[in-house]
Amino acid sequence: EAPIGPDPVTEKWPQWPYKTICGWLEFDPVVAFNGPTGVERGSRPSERALARLLREQRNWATPIVPARHWRLLAETDDVAEFASGRLMGPYGPGTVSFERQEGRWKEIGLSSGCEPTSIVDDMQAVSWTLAIDKPKPAEGDRHLWINLGPGPCNGGRSQNARARRPVTWRVDKKLMVAMTLKPLPPGGYTCQGLVEPPLKVRLAEPIGESRLFDGATYPPKDVIRLWSRGRATRR
């Protein structure tokens, strides 16, 4: 059962400098997840399409998304996206996307989990973690050793080689670091993985007393906490 009302994350993170994306459309995560739930009871054509899908899902052997308490993420003349569930849940909120086809809204995508990804310099940010075989970053450090998370399919090309300079911003005593990749030439690419060594990146200024966060997603991830867990697991 999906919770009702604004997501508690928006109280902890009431501002975010970038739009985010879960599927097809970019949206303001603070506005979207601080907004009302229950839009499946609305009268807009896209909302009625959502209600029809939820009724159909009752007959499925394994329903994919929550049955109610949906919120609108974004809508254009031709595409609408909805979400239901908490950002800090085990899988993130479920999402449904619709497209207007020949005057009728039709479902074009279902997901049981969404992690709003920041759009930085017109590119989707790539998640990252601190390399657990390197020391914990100190206040005076301007370099980080990181491991990049999965990005788009790239035909086995190196993500480290395509990494752009980190983008940073501060929220109180928290330092956000977002990583993006140089775009690939147009074309289709296979999705085989490539294991790469840690990547050394230089920050625009020392870390200082700030705690480090991965700004690739809303809400951001505390990479120091993840690093500590990883070190403890290795012992």
Side-chain angles (χ1 to χ4, degrees), residues 139-161:
E139 290 185 7
D141 288 350
R142 294 188 61 169
H143 290 89
L144 299 176
W145 285 97
I146 67 173
N147 291 311
L148 295 174
C153 296
N154 58 21
R157 290 167 172 78
S158 168
Q159 289 195 146
N160 285 358

Side-chain angles (χ1 to χ4, degrees), residues 29-233:
V30 179
V31 172
F33 286 94
N34 196 40
T37 52
V39 297
E40 70 276 8
R41 301 191 302 270
S43 59
R44 295 168 59 88
S46 60
E47 295 168 340
R48 294 200 300 269
L50 172 62
R52 286 195 301 271
L53 176 66
L54 298 180
R55 288 194 298 269
E56 294 172 0
Q57 188 184 231
R58 297 172 189 169
N59 299 320
W60 297 359
T62 305
I64 296 177
V65 294
R68 54 180 177 168
H69 303 325
W70 287 79
R71 68 178 81 245
L72 177 68
L73 296 182
E75 182 171 349
T76 66
D77 291 341
D78 299 311
V79 179
E81 291 190 331
F82 302 92
S84 180
R86 291 293 192 228
L87 287 165
M88 295 301 290
Y91 305 106
T95 61
V96 177
S97 302
F98 294 88
E99 184 178 39
R100 189 198 301 271
Q101 300 176 5
E102 298 178 352
R104 179 180 174 85
W105 288 93
K106 297 183 179 180
E107 178 263 317
I108 56 172
L110 280 170
S111 172
S112 58
C114 155
E115 198 169 38
T117 301
S118 300
I119 305 297
V120 181
D121 296 334
D122 297 323
M123 300 288 293
Q124 289 193 41
V126 177
S127 62
W128 61 274
T129 55
L130 291 169
I132 60 175
D133 58 346
K134 301 292 184 180
K136 179 180 177 180
E139 290 185 7
D141 288 350
R142 294 188 61 169
H143 290 89
L144 299 176
W145 285 97
I146 67 173
N147 291 311
L148 295 174
C153 296
N154 58 21
R157 290 167 172 78
S158 168
Q159 289 195 146
N160 285 358
R162 295 169 49 220
R164 303 166 82 181
R165 291 182 179 179
V167 175
T168 62
W169 68 98
R170 294 183 188 270
V171 179
D172 298 324
K173 288 191 174 182
K174 303 178 181 70
L175 177 61
M176 310 292 142
V177 180
M179 296 296 302
T180 57
L181 304 176
K182 297 174 184 177
L184 291 167
Y189 296 92
T190 56
C191 296
Q192 69 264 35
L194 178 66
V195 178
E196 297 191 83
L199 172 68
K200 187 178 183 180
V201 297
R202 177 179 172 85
L203 305 177
E205 57 183 321
I207 297 170
E209 297 181 357
S210 299
R211 194 167 181 89
L212 280 170
F213 282 79
D214 175 13
T217 60
Y218 179 87
K221 292 182 175 64
D222 185 334
V223 294
I224 296 296
R225 181 178 299 173
L226 295 174
W227 177 87
S228 298
R229 290 176 180 172
R231 297 276 284 201
T233 300

